[in-house]
Amino acid sequence: MKTCSETYQFEKDLKWENPAPGVNRQIMAYDGQLMMVKVKFDKGAVGSMHEHYHSQATYVVSGKFELTIGDKKEILSAGDGYYVAPDELHGCVCLEAGILIDTFSPVRADFLNL
């Protein structure tokens, strides 16, 4: 079983997964303690409300997103970011097509089917 990514990731070599309508993701770098994932959203796509035991920090590369973390909503655009504490309910609606870079600690083994 592979426990870490290759040292370098080249976008052209990474497969895209489709976890929800209008949402596609590429698993980038990871080891047991850290994971980076690129997530592409179509306008109107929804990242459904969910929670997980991982810490999450996300950078908005492009687009516009309405984020809900706990009971607070904010609109985020390119250059913004957010943090989600472990076990905190969160989700988003994509207002303008865009890309997020999610980082997780520890690794999201569920994304790797481990």
Side-chain angles (χ1 to χ4, degrees):
M1 168 175 46
K2 189 167 180 164
T3 59
C4 68
S5 64
E6 299 297 327
T7 301
Y8 298 100
Q9 297 83 48
F10 298 97
E11 183 178 42
K12 66 182 178 62
D13 298 333
L14 300 174
K15 70 177 185 162
W16 285 95
E17 301 170 352
N18 180 237
V23 180
N24 293 287
R25 72 178 173 217
Q26 275 184 323
I27 306 299
M28 306 285 291
Y30 65 91
D31 66 12
Q33 301 305 308
L34 179 68
M35 174 179 258
M36 182 172 63
V37 179
K38 183 189 318 178
V39 189
K40 190 184 311 184
F41 285 80
D42 295 339
K43 181 178 180 177
V46 175
S48 61
M49 295 297 288
H50 65 286
E51 58 188 82
H52 44 73
Y53 69 88
H54 311 82
S55 295
Q56 177 178 341
T58 298
Y59 175 74
V60 181
V61 176
S62 61
K64 187 179 283 188
F65 297 84
E66 179 185 76
L67 262 291
T68 303
I69 301 173
D71 60 0
K72 186 169 182 186
K73 287 187 181 188
E74 292 285 350
I75 304 295
L76 283 81
S77 300
D80 297 336
Y82 60 93
Y83 167 75
V84 181
D87 302 313
E88 189 164 27
L89 193 62
H90 61 286
C92 72
V93 176
C94 182
L95 304 176
E96 294 176 8
I99 296 174
L100 302 176
I101 301 295
D102 288 335
T103 57
F104 300 99
S105 179
V107 66
R108 291 288 305 262
D110 55 323
F111 285 9
L112 300 172
N113 299 315
L114 298 177

